[in-house]
Amino acid sequence: MPSTSHSRQLFGLTVRQNAHPDMRKLRREAGEPELHGNKFWKSSCLMMDYLKRNPLPPGARVLDIGCGWGLGGIFCAKHFGAEVTGLDADASVFPFVHYHAELNEVSVQTWRCRYEKVSKDDLAGFDAVIGTDICFWDKLESPLYNLTRRALQSGVGRVVLADPGRSPFRRLAQRAEDKLDATYREWQVNRPMQASGCLMIAEPR
């Protein structure tokens, strides 16, 4: 089967599937990502659809937290000329980030860090924070809420998180809606692939 059959086009990006020879090679060389950064997650479509409809300013500085393969950040770099940093606690995802960035003719910086270690001073260097499929455990709710709060306090213009609708994320979004005046919305995409879930959008008051 030709390798082109193991690629898909999503919101102007070329994305490799795990069966693609390049992905198999990366896994052999870099090892399997440990913290669920081992594939493309459908909620990335929710993020890209939202950003397509609600674009960032040209050249925005974007922090993609829990970036995994980094597709949300790569979308921002491709469509808005954003300066993107992909943050993840698992450095083994970074070869997949750089591969997809190069494939889509953009560049992304990477930063190994845990959410609770990202300071206000760090966040002050960004205009937007995005994250996709990152609140999958109960213990992640508070670190992500606190990071969102610090981001808004640091002058970040927008925090957008997307998820298929897991209970920890819904609690996070409800908490941010109640205490940070965030918006908590259901979201659905039918093309280029079907995906549904919810978004949390937080902006300074």
Side-chain angles (χ1 to χ4, degrees):
M1 186 179 293
S3 61
T4 53
S5 66
H6 299 308
S7 301
R8 52 166 61 105
Q9 297 296 315
L10 297 171
F11 295 92
L13 300 186
T14 299
V15 181
R16 300 298 195 212
Q17 296 172 288
N18 265 324
H20 192 282
D22 289 353
M23 295 294 98
R24 295 201 299 266
K25 181 181 179 183
L26 281 174
R27 288 198 300 275
R28 288 195 303 270
E29 294 177 350
E32 284 284 356
E34 299 175 359
L35 299 175
H36 301 286
N38 59 340
K39 66 177 184 179
F40 160 77
W41 296 92
K42 280 189 176 182
S43 294
S44 296
C45 287
L46 305 180
M47 178 66 70
M48 290 186 277
D49 186 63
Y50 167 82
L51 291 171
K52 180 181 177 182
R53 298 168 187 270
N54 302 272
L56 297 174
R61 300 164 299 169
V62 176
L63 179 62
D64 184 2
I65 59 174
C67 64
W69 286 10
L71 299 182
I74 292 168
F75 175 88
C76 293
K78 183 85 171 179
H79 290 275
F80 313 130
E83 298 179 14
V84 177
T85 299
L87 177 149
D88 207 288
D90 182 6
S92 64
V93 302
F94 295 152
F96 297 86
V97 176
H98 293 302
Y99 172 87
H100 277 100
E102 183 176 353
L103 180 66
N104 289 282
E105 301 180 328
V106 298
S107 63
V108 173
Q109 300 297 314
T110 51
W111 176 21
R112 184 179 185 180
C113 189
R114 301 183 67 86
Y115 302 138
E116 58 269 25
K117 299 293 186 181
V118 181
S119 70
K120 288 184 181 180
D121 286 344
D122 294 326
L123 290 162
F126 296 97
D127 303 304
V129 174
I130 64 172
T132 300
D133 265 295
I134 58 174
C135 195
F136 42 83
W137 292 329
D138 291 342
K139 67 181 182 181
L140 293 171
E141 177 191 340
S142 287
L144 286 168
Y145 171 83
N146 290 331
L147 189 153
T148 300
R149 183 181 59 192
R150 291 196 302 276
L152 297 178
Q153 292 171 344
S154 300
V156 172
R158 198 187 319 175
V159 178
V160 186
L161 306 182
D163 192 85
R166 301 179 185 89
S167 295
F169 180 84
R170 290 188 179 278
R171 288 195 298 271
L172 164 65
Q174 187 64 60
R175 185 177 176 187
E177 185 177 57
D178 292 343
K179 297 185 177 182
L180 301 177
D181 203 25
T183 301
Y184 172 22
R185 304 179 59 178
E186 302 295 320
W187 203 269
Q188 183 172 330
V189 176
N190 293 317
R191 294 181 180 179
M193 65 188 302
Q194 288 192 334
S196 61
C198 45
L199 299 175
M200 186 207 82
I201 304 144
E203 299 174 311
R205 296 179 182 178

